[in-house]
Amino acid sequence: MDTQQIMRTSLKLAGFKSIPSDSEVHVKGRRIRKVLVAIDVGVAELLLARNLECDAVIAHHPAGGRARLDGYKVFLRHIDQLKAAGVPEEIARQAVQPKLRVLELQHHLDNYDQTPSAAKRLRLPLVSIHSPCDEIGRKMIQNALKGLDENSTVKDVVSRIARFPEFREAISKIEIRLGSPGGRAGKIAISHAAYTNGGYEIAKTYFQNGIGTLSYIHIAEPDLTRLANEASGNLMVLGHIASDWLGINALLRELEKKGVEPISTTDLN
């Protein structure tokens, strides 16, 4: 395979028509048979890949370039997810604005050049695949929850998700940060694959518009405290690393069918 084919495979599995702004082929390559795969890739991982005689490296989080600078624009996918949950478009757009501005300011100062430049010096193909893998994982979770209804408990929802080996084997466990295991789940929303969690504003918007149980991959303490001090629903936090590997591993299984040997930097595969 080549780097473009690897990217296209991820897009097909995710149902994306184009490469999102948080994903990128940084250094092109062909005849790829063995790849190092890591959630975070820096110069150390590139050297590890070279030491393991890999032909390329796949990063999950943007390793640099435009994906590092402009990847925050994928946060706008929260609008479509909110609308799908029944939130009016104008309210959804208002909900994303506060954190979108923060993300733009944060990433403007990022060192976007170091890792891709090192990969070029090493002549090592490098690809970042972020939201496609997260969307693959989100779809897997949604499929796992089919058959549950609004009278199911939060524990029922967690139990379905916890069946995936990535969550079973993770050191971090799925946490119910708001609500209780025996509480009624109501309508469920899986708020993943939009660059990062929606924080306080987006969670509040879901709860105010009929969602009973919301799933985040992670959440900051100030956002959780604000939500806890208001009338809200159930919030599940699945865990960052396990959630990331859920979609990554699905992509790697597909790449293996195409003759690529993945070498992972984790035991969660």
Side-chain angles (χ1 to χ4, degrees):
M1 296 189 76
D2 60 34
T3 46
Q4 297 290 347
Q5 290 171 323
I6 289 173
M7 181 65 77
R8 284 197 296 270
T9 300
S10 74
L11 299 180
K12 182 177 180 181
L13 289 175
F16 289 177
K17 294 181 179 179
S18 60
I19 301 174
S21 58
D22 64 351
S23 303
E24 184 177 353
V25 176
H26 304 286
V27 181
K28 295 180 180 179
R30 299 182 298 167
R31 302 186 184 91
I32 296 170
R33 296 182 178 84
K34 183 162 70 170
V35 295
L36 182 76
V37 185
I39 287 180
D40 296 296
V41 170
V43 177
E45 285 73 29
L46 298 178
L47 294 174
L48 175 61
R50 175 54 54 86
N51 188 53
L52 294 173
E53 299 181 341
C54 293
D55 304 309
V57 176
I58 297 175
H60 180 54
H61 294 149
R66 287 290 178 187
R68 186 70 170 266
L69 278 180
D70 295 338
Y72 74 92
K73 295 176 182 178
V74 170
F75 194 76
L76 292 168
R77 293 194 75 234
H78 279 294
I79 295 172
D80 291 333
Q81 292 183 12
L82 284 161
K83 287 167 58 181
V87 179
E89 182 170 352
E90 185 56 33
I91 293 175
R93 290 190 177 278
Q94 290 173 4
V96 305
Q97 290 307 314
K99 191 163 183 175
L100 183 69
R101 176 62 170 161
V102 171
L103 292 170
E104 188 273 330
L105 291 170
Q106 286 177 344
H107 289 297
H108 188 257
L109 55 80
D110 278 354
N111 184 348
Y112 59 85
D113 182 64
Q114 181 170 336
T115 302
S117 289
K120 291 174 185 175
R121 292 285 186 180
L122 292 167
R123 297 179 181 176
L124 190 60
L126 173 63
V127 181
S128 291
I129 306 177
H130 189 214
S131 55
C133 287
D134 286 347
E135 177 64 10
I136 294 166
R138 189 175 81 98
K139 288 182 174 181
M140 293 171 68
I141 291 171
Q142 288 177 323
N143 287 333
L145 298 181
K146 287 181 178 178
L148 296 180
D149 59 29
E150 295 186 16
N151 292 316
S152 299
T153 65
V154 178
K155 183 179 179 181
D156 293 332
V157 179
V158 171
S159 296
R160 289 284 187 96
I161 298 172
R163 293 174 185 175
F164 288 107
E166 288 82 1
F167 294 106
R168 286 203 314 269
E169 297 169 14
I171 295 175
S172 62
K173 300 304 176 185
I174 299 172
E175 299 287 350
I176 302 170
R177 296 298 187 186
L178 296 174
S180 63
R184 180 174 175 271
K187 289 180 63 178
I188 303 165
I190 309 300
S191 181
H192 302 180
Y195 193 69
T196 189
N197 77 82
Y200 165 78
E201 292 289 346
I202 288 174
K204 179 187 72 172
T205 301
Y206 273 114
F207 292 140
Q208 288 179 341
N209 286 271
I211 293 299
T213 298
L214 179 65
S215 177
Y216 272 0
I217 288 176
H218 47 75
I219 189 170
E221 190 278 333
D223 292 328
L224 182 62
T225 297
R226 290 181 71 186
L227 290 167
N229 288 332
E230 301 177 3
S232 58
N234 308 295
L235 177 66
M236 305 180 301
V237 178
L238 303 192
H240 190 176
I241 303 306
S243 298
D244 282 358
W245 278 110
L246 179 64
I248 296 168
N249 285 336
L251 171 61
L252 299 186
R253 288 190 290 270
E254 190 65 25
L255 294 180
E256 283 185 295
K257 295 176 185 177
K258 299 176 183 294
V260 175
E261 176 191 357
I263 297 180
S264 169
T265 58
T266 185
D267 292 329
L268 297 178
N269 62 353

